[in-house]
Amino acid sequence: MSDSVFLAGDENWWRQAVVYQVYPRSFKDSNGDGLGDIKGITSKVDYIAELGVDAIWLSPFYPSALADGGYDVADYRDVDPKLGSLADFDEMIKAYHSKGIRVFVDVVPNHSSDLHVWFQEALASEPGSAARDRYIFRDGKGENGELAPNDWPSHFGPTAWTRTTNPDGTPGQWYLHLFAPEQPDFNWDNQEVIDDFKKTMRFWSDRGVDGFRIDVAHALKKDMSEPYPYIENYDVKHIPLDGSHHLFDRDDVMEIYRGWREIFNSYDPPRVAVAEAWVPAARRPRYASPETLGQAFNFDLLAAPWSARKFKKSIEFNLDLSEKSGSSSTWVLSNHDVIRHATRYGLPKKTDYEKWVMTDGTSPELDRELGLSRARAATMLVLALPGSTYMYQGEELGLFEVADLPGQVLQDPIWLRDGKTRKGRDGCRVPLPWEKGGSSFGFGTGSAHLPQPAWFAGYSVEFEEAQEDSTLKLYRAALKLRKELLTDENLEFVDSKRKVVHFVRPNGWHNITNFGKKPIALPAGSVQLTSAPLVDGKLPGNATAWITE
Ligand code: GLC
């Protein structure tokens, strides 16, 4: 492999990076089979470079039966043949590095796919065998082991246990899966599991990968001793601050990450990682410490309503928190697991989004104009904050959630496993519209694996390229300007009206976001960019302005 695969440079590049999440199967299909692929990602390097982000993060592209959109990994060190090959991956990384864009991959260490060779081997082996010890197998309760070992729920449905069938056809032991039955949980007390993931980290780091997004980083270590506690649900609210939960955020999970840190630091520049850890905020710094993963997602804004007070509180709190860990904060408005932010902000406060999707997005009615103006304003706001921003493919087009996908096309295990009572996350995973027309709006040459709505035409890259005030143009302008204005990781809030968030960075870069309805006067200075046109020199409601002194 040639040296040009590697991108050298400042070891702190990640601290204020803008990372663009690619959901590979829905990004760009290069061979017309309806699924996005690695070559498709490579083909869009100019688009990503022009957008102006610092890095891309690829959701899983590994061999997978797609029981959970690829988060069921059958082989951690290969590319799904449906998406390409390792050679395609190497080419992709070269293409992105040649433009100075870094690459993150997603590592899923809590569980594998049930098709992973280790799980298949475990199924074919005896209870108590070394092969079974890599996962969490237990005998059932009841006279003949016919009852699950306990009543823990799965994230996707009623139970976290599935019974196996022995090679001779008789019912066997049960195994734990905190997600779908096709996602058996690993036993992280097993040395082979520990060693194998280290191998995976080296494998991708050697191929030039710059960073890792660690899936469900809080769940790896478990206390499986009996008596099992009663666990009603997996709400973060129920995770205590002392590391004593049986399944989540146990103190010793850090041992794993300290081991990975040694590997990350053996590269130049050190590889970086960001934890997806659904833990109480006060525990987040443990994952974000320079001795462990180095950074952790702050998902607080995913849950925050459109409110100046809530945004300000969350910003203050998280900047404080990241200082404690020595890391930088992360800001997230959308990802592949949540309702797109242009939609969230266009629905009345307190809307239950899951229920709304079940009405095909008809009740309550979505105010698209309002949602999009707020989304544009929110994006500018987070881009002005110290720390890094993780954005999700399609948000740069101002895409809304596709809420009216019919039941028969849904792929999310939430829909399939929870009695079809929740549609799940497919609505933000619909393949991107690159062109105004064609069988899949330029996603591929055939149809797309999830149907795209007709309104995608007006949100396609081709359409937005031609509109001066499009969301795509706003993202490009904001990202370009941000690079010029970026300064050290400090900010000061400026006294402002109740419905306004006004802060200034040390170099005099002001961000003013008007969360209210009425236009507001702007402070003196030079207006660099606004998310909506000024009205008689004033900043309209639901808009952001950047001003320099
Ligand atoms: C993470 C992923 C999500 C996936 C789950 C199980 O939360 O973001 O998409 O379903 O882990 O791997």
Side-chain angles (χ1 to χ4, degrees):
M1 205 181 307
S2 97
D3 273 353
S4 64
V5 147
F6 299 96
L7 201 58
D10 171 21
E11 65 176 50
N12 284 322
W13 64 267
W14 55 275
R15 293 192 67 96
Q16 299 206 72
V18 177
V19 184
Y20 178 95
Q21 180 187 359
V22 171
Y23 193 75
R25 289 173 178 83
S26 298
F27 186 69
K28 168 75 188 162
D29 169 17
S30 74
N31 62 1
D33 67 354
L35 272 188
D37 44 42
I38 302 289
K39 281 199 163 133
I41 301 171
T42 311
S43 74
K44 291 298 177 189
V45 65
D46 288 337
Y47 172 80
I48 296 292
E50 195 178 351
L51 186 58
V53 297
D54 302 292
I56 55 170
W57 140 35
L58 269 53
S59 276
F61 49 82
Y62 316 106
S64 170
L66 301 186
D68 181 18
Y71 284 87
D72 46 321
V73 179
D75 182 347
Y76 290 87
R77 297 186 288 271
D78 204 353
V79 172
D80 191 324
K82 298 190 284 300
L83 270 64
S85 63
L86 280 171
D88 294 339
F89 183 89
D90 293 342
E91 235 173 68
M92 179 210 66
I93 231 176
K94 239 193 220 169
Y96 278 83
H97 280 181
S98 75
K99 305 268 178 188
I101 299 166
R102 319 248 174 191
V103 177
F104 282 68
V105 298
D106 211 314
V107 171
V108 188
N110 181 65
H111 44 264
S112 70
S113 155
D114 59 341
L115 299 178
H116 191 287
V117 281
W118 275 3
F119 193 71
Q120 289 301 313
E121 193 186 334
L123 288 181
S125 306
E126 292 295 311
S129 60
R132 286 212 170 177
D133 190 57
R134 298 176 186 132
Y135 292 90
I136 303 177
F137 282 86
R138 291 291 180 275
D139 292 331
K141 305 275 184 202
E143 213 169 305
N144 300 304
E146 71 281 10
L147 302 174
N150 62 41
D151 53 7
W152 291 345
S154 125
H155 283 280
F156 295 152
T159 173
W161 294 96
T162 291
R163 195 168 195 188
T164 61
T165 306
N166 292 321
D168 67 2
T170 56
Q173 283 191 301
W174 298 69
Y175 67 90
L176 182 77
H177 52 86
L178 296 185
F179 293 88
E182 296 88 350
Q183 294 168 295
D185 280 49
F186 278 118
N187 169 19
W188 271 93
D189 293 328
N190 180 291
Q191 192 59 42
E192 282 185 277
V193 172
I194 296 170
D195 294 344
D196 198 63
F197 273 91
K198 286 188 174 168
K199 197 167 161 189
T200 294
M201 293 303 178
R202 285 202 192 90
F203 179 86
W204 294 109
S205 297
D206 289 344
R207 293 199 108 81
V209 160
D210 306 277
F212 299 92
R213 180 257 188 196
I214 310 302
D215 191 66
V216 201
H218 54 300
L220 277 46
K221 284 283 197 166
K222 300 174 176 88
D223 177 357
M224 294 300 300
S225 61
E226 296 193 51
Y228 299 116
Y230 170 68
I231 302 178
E232 186 188 342
N233 61 44
Y234 294 152
D235 202 319
V236 179
K237 283 202 294 270
H238 304 314
I239 304 180
L241 290 170
D242 61 0
S244 65
H245 195 283
H246 278 237
L247 301 177
F248 302 128
D249 191 31
R250 298 186 61 74
D251 288 338
D252 53 358
V253 79
M254 292 304 144
E255 279 167 25
I256 302 170
Y257 301 139
R258 278 191 281 269
W260 292 2
R261 174 51 57 188
E262 274 177 35
I263 296 175
F264 299 154
N265 287 354
S266 70
Y267 289 87
D268 180 23
R271 300 313 188 230
V272 304
V274 56
E276 186 215 23
W278 291 95
V279 297
R283 300 270 292 179
R284 216 180 285 145
R286 299 166 65 255
Y287 297 80
S289 144
E291 267 118 59
T292 59
L293 294 175
Q295 208 181 34
F297 280 126
N298 145 29
F299 291 136
D300 298 3
L301 293 182
L302 295 181
W306 183 249
S307 141
R309 196 175 58 84
K310 293 272 169 57
F311 266 63
K312 192 170 169 199
K313 213 170 127 192
S314 170
I315 294 166
E316 280 174 327
F317 178 77
N318 279 291
L319 290 179
D320 240 31
L321 208 60
S322 51
E323 218 176 295
K324 275 188 194 131
S325 63
S327 183
S328 60
S329 191
T330 60
W331 308 103
V332 183
L333 295 169
S334 279
N335 65 29
H336 67 297
D337 287 331
V338 299
I339 302 277
R340 285 187 176 276
H341 68 283
T343 294
R344 293 202 311 273
Y345 297 146
L347 288 166
K349 265 185 195 161
K350 304 213 168 129
T351 299
D352 179 329
Y353 301 121
E354 282 191 340
K355 285 198 183 133
W356 176 77
V357 176
M358 288 304 284
T359 72
D360 285 346
T362 57
S363 167
E365 205 183 322
L366 170 67
D367 184 336
R368 287 192 173 208
E369 205 185 313
L370 181 69
L372 189 55
S373 24
R374 287 175 170 176
R376 291 164 56 116
T379 296
M380 276 186 67
L381 183 157
V382 297
L383 286 175
L385 289 169
S388 53
T389 299
Y390 285 78
M391 45 180 63
Y392 177 53
Q393 68 175 41
E395 66 165 85
E396 78 279 19
L397 303 173
L399 287 190
F400 298 97
E401 189 77 4
V402 181
D404 55 355
L405 290 170
Q408 66 272 19
V409 304
L410 295 179
Q411 303 170 6
D412 192 335
I414 291 181
W415 168 252
L416 301 170
R417 298 284 159 202
D418 210 12
K420 304 195 173 172
T421 55
R422 295 187 289 153
K423 275 193 179 179
R425 303 158 293 178
D426 289 318
C428 65
R429 300 173 177 182
V430 175
L432 288 190
W434 295 95
E435 291 164 16
K436 286 188 281 189
S439 62
S440 56
F441 298 105
F443 167 66
T445 49
S447 56
H449 69 98
L450 278 169
Q452 301 151 301
W455 56 263
F456 261 32
Y459 291 81
S460 61
V461 175
E462 185 187 3
F463 183 84
E464 296 203 16
E465 292 268 13
Q467 287 328 121
E468 259 340 289
D469 60 351
S470 69
T471 303
L472 178 58
K473 292 269 172 82
L474 177 71
Y475 268 67
R476 283 180 185 162
L479 286 162
K480 184 160 180 267
L481 206 53
R482 180 184 192 273
K483 276 210 176 105
E484 291 160 19
L485 295 173
L486 208 59
T487 173
D488 69 39
E489 292 170 41
N490 286 311
L491 68 65
E492 241 177 75
F493 280 100
V494 179
D495 272 347
S496 55
K497 292 192 170 136
R498 201 168 49 87
K499 294 195 172 163
V500 174
V501 171
H502 181 175
F503 56 83
V504 57
R505 301 286 294 268
N507 58 351
W509 170 17
H510 289 252
N511 177 93
I512 298 125
T513 303
N514 182 2
F515 283 77
K517 288 191 192 125
K518 288 196 199 126
I520 53 165
L522 287 171
S526 132
V527 177
Q528 299 290 340
L529 186 69
T530 58
S531 66
L534 297 183
V535 181
D536 301 329
K538 292 183 162 184
L539 182 68
N542 303 306
T544 290
W546 287 354
I547 290 181
T548 51
E549 287 170 1

